[in-house]
Amino acid sequence: QKEVEQDPGPLSVPEGAIVSLNCTYSNSAFQYFMWYRQYSRKGPELLMYTYSSGNKEDGRFTAQVDKSSKYISLFIRDSQPSDSATYLCAMTPNAGGTSYGKLTFGQGTILTVHP
Amino acid sequence: DVKVTQSSRYLVKRTGEKVFLECVQDMDHENMFWYRQDPGLGLRLIYFSYDVKMKEKGDIPEGYSVSREKKERFSLILESASTNQTSMYLCASSLSTGKGYTFGSGTRLTVV
């Protein structure tokens, strides 16, 4: 079983929809959680960064972490065609320290927002 | 603006060739990483480095080596390229205090 599980999709939604992307994990040591967005033929870019449990909002994006359930989510409100990309969750036990901030990634979910 | 530069976007090499993939970052980051990305397998860590001349194996180091002679540059070497090393290779860097990675644009390598 993988440490981080993410439904690869693909997920197709109409413009304006609310999108929910999810990851589950098995390692209870994970404390730092991230979402990356990767456009076709590009490298991933950091979208959201959260520590421990709770919510974080940035514009149309909301990241949620539920450590008790080992479950993280990314919500996209009022989705736009420009949101079409692969979304990767990532996590690490320590920001730095002896793990050097190494990230464990989910497989990525392919999202298409159609006009 | 950016930040992490990979020397080639696309490469085609022959089986058995020695291949060098170069990565340079201009953010004074301590940590640098090499991943490969394959459909259905996601991102897999090959090697990383937390300081000049220091390196650590990742999850799939076989068939690869790395070099970090300067802080800003991290090279991935395929000693004898094989067709199963056809992949997208991504370089990333980060501060020692974490806060996530900055990735390069990737190098799509095809070994024929």
Side-chain angles (χ1 to χ4, degrees), chain A residues 79-98:
Chain A
S79 56
Q80 302 295 309
S82 59
D83 295 327
S84 298
T86 297
Y87 290 80
L88 298 142
C89 64
M91 48 200 80
T92 184
N94 301 305
T98 56

Side-chain angles (χ1 to χ4, degrees), chain A residues 2 34 36 38 40-46 49 86 88 94-97 99-108, chain B residues 9-10 31 33 35 37 40-43 45 48 50 88 90 94-101 103-106 108:
Chain A
K2 294 179 181 177
M34 282 142 269
Y36 285 81
Q38 185 177 21
S40 182
R41 292 184 291 277
K42 299 281 191 180
E45 57 178 332
L46 183 63
Y49 182 97
T86 297
L88 298 142
N94 301 305
S99 74
Y100 305 105
K102 277 187 301 175
L103 298 179
T104 301
F105 288 87
Q107 275 198 57
Chain B
R9 293 296 307 275
Y10 300 94
N31 303 326
F33 305 84
Y35 285 83
Q37 185 176 31
L41 297 176
L43 283 157
L45 180 63
F48 72 100
Y50 54 89
M88 167 73 104
L90 288 162
S94 71
L95 289 167
S96 60
T97 52
K99 296 292 187 181
Y101 296 171
F103 280 93
S105 293
R108 187 166 295 279

Side-chain angles (χ1 to χ4, degrees), chain B residues 29-72:
Chain B
H29 284 175
E30 292 86 1
N31 303 326
M32 296 188 76
F33 305 84
W34 275 106
Y35 285 83
R36 62 178 285 177
Q37 185 176 31
D38 301 286
L41 297 176
L43 283 157
R44 291 181 292 168
L45 180 63
I46 304 171
Y47 267 97
F48 72 100
S49 168
Y50 54 89
D51 201 351
V52 176
K53 297 191 186 295
M54 305 305 290
K55 60 185 178 183
E56 294 280 343
K57 292 180 180 179
D59 300 316
I60 51 162
E62 296 78 21
Y64 303 95
S65 62
V66 290
S67 172
R68 194 167 181 199
E69 296 297 318
K70 294 185 178 181
K71 189 176 185 179
E72 67 270 21

